[in-house]
Amino acid sequence: MGSERRGGGQAAAAGGGSGRTMAGYRIRPYRDEDSEAVREVFATGMNEYAPALCLHVLRQPWVLLLLGCVFCLLLASSRSLLLPVLALTLLLALGRQLLGCAWSAYIERCLADDLRDIRAAYMDIPGACFWVAEADERVVGTVGVRPAGDGSGSEELALKRMAVRKDYRGRGIAAALGRTALAFARQQRGCRAVVLNTVMLQHEARALYERLGFRRDRRYLLPTVYGRLANCTVTTYRYELP
């Protein structure tokens, strides 16, 4: 049993078989009946970033300047403190709602992309696979790898959809999922690296990737109007395979 716990993550990496049990959970390849659970784990995990996103936007200089100007103008015109305070409260609530809607739309786009048909996106193409972590007879974590770019013959694999349920974190599940994906990549002929993207809000995820051996490759501003306004940066990580 002890040897299975130490080596279970890499043993499941080939994408076949049922996986190994480790410390109350096991990593195994995706099955079709996991679809809704996988989507729920991803959506729930991403929704956790909504408050951090609002705080990040609120700290932007142009937002602070706008709120300060509104407050001063209303204070000068009304000569009352109540109206500016109520106006700022309303603006903050409206902004929180708009940001929440924008983040929810992003999550829905992801769910409508590769997570709409996980088998077609990961299990039925060469050099790709998707795994779930299972504990207490439920899916509690996910990760997938697929060729980066457009072609199946890419020399790089992209690590995607890493997520673990909040109440199952701290058990090493995310690290085990990451090691499983890396072990799979090592078995792919011609694969030279595993790459991934993270946004500035994912502090814990970035720390995990760095512990697994990923190195920061580059950083760039999200090339959209929203990305520029919110100063939304994306960091690319790279794991070089021997």
Side-chain angles (χ1 to χ4, degrees), residues 46-64:
M46 292 300 290
N47 273 321
E48 294 177 18
Y49 292 111
L53 174 64
C54 293
L55 185 59
H56 173 78
V57 173
L58 182 60
R59 290 172 174 170
Q60 299 308 304
W62 69 269
V63 175
L64 294 175

Side-chain angles (χ1 to χ4, degrees), residues 39-178:
R39 290 164 60 87
E40 181 201 353
V41 170
F42 172 78
T44 302
M46 292 300 290
N47 273 321
E48 294 177 18
Y49 292 111
L53 174 64
C54 293
L55 185 59
H56 173 78
V57 173
L58 182 60
R59 290 172 174 170
Q60 299 308 304
W62 69 269
V63 175
L64 294 175
L65 179 61
L66 175 63
L67 293 176
C69 289
V70 169
F71 181 85
C72 291
L73 287 173
L74 291 176
L75 183 62
S77 62
S78 65
R79 296 182 180 179
S80 169
L81 186 62
L82 181 61
L83 180 60
V85 170
L86 289 176
L88 286 187
T89 302
L90 180 61
L91 282 175
L92 290 172
L94 179 60
R96 170 66 178 84
Q97 186 67 25
L98 291 175
L99 286 171
C101 290
W103 192 245
S104 295
Y106 167 73
I107 295 173
E108 288 300 321
R109 285 197 300 272
C110 294
L111 293 174
D113 187 17
D114 57 316
L115 293 181
R116 179 178 60 84
D117 189 342
I118 299 170
R119 176 160 296 279
Y122 291 93
M123 308 302 287
D124 292 342
I125 62 175
C129 196
F130 200 95
W131 300 267
V132 301
E134 191 176 57
D136 301 326
E137 300 183 352
R138 65 190 301 210
V139 172
V140 300
T142 67
V143 71
V145 290
R146 56 186 299 185
D150 299 327
S152 60
S154 173
E155 295 181 347
E156 297 179 350
L157 291 181
L159 187 146
K160 301 173 71 68
R161 310 313 181 201
M162 171 84 82
V164 176
R165 290 184 185 274
K166 188 173 184 178
D167 48 340
Y168 285 87
R169 294 171 192 165
R171 302 188 186 186
I173 295 177
L177 286 165

